[in-house]
Amino acid sequence: MLSGLSDRVSELKSLGTENASRDPNSSVTADDAEQVVYDEAKKSGSAAYQFDPNATAEEKAAQARAVGCL
């Protein structure tokens, strides 16, 4: 029962941060929200990866191979 509650808290924390990042009156940025989602996924044991969005297609493919995505 408590593990389900913990999962729910993690999900709500991620959603709250995502919503705050969309609010123009909030100091929460999209990068902040992305980091929270990544951290919460890792804490729950999910596979979570971060890639450089400015990388070339070849660099992105190399990053994906390095973490076992391809």
Side-chain angles (χ1 to χ4, degrees), residues 3-45:
S3 73
L5 180 60
S6 175
D7 293 343
R8 191 75 180 128
V9 168
S10 179
E11 179 182 355
L12 290 173
K13 182 176 179 181
S14 295
L15 287 173
T17 307
E18 289 175 25
N19 289 335
S21 74
R22 292 185 193 103
D23 182 350
N25 299 316
S26 171
S27 63
V28 178
T29 67
D31 288 337
D32 295 334
E34 182 181 320
Q35 190 63 48
V36 168
V37 171
Y38 174 79
D39 292 343
E40 292 300 315
K42 291 298 267 188
K43 280 198 284 188
S44 72

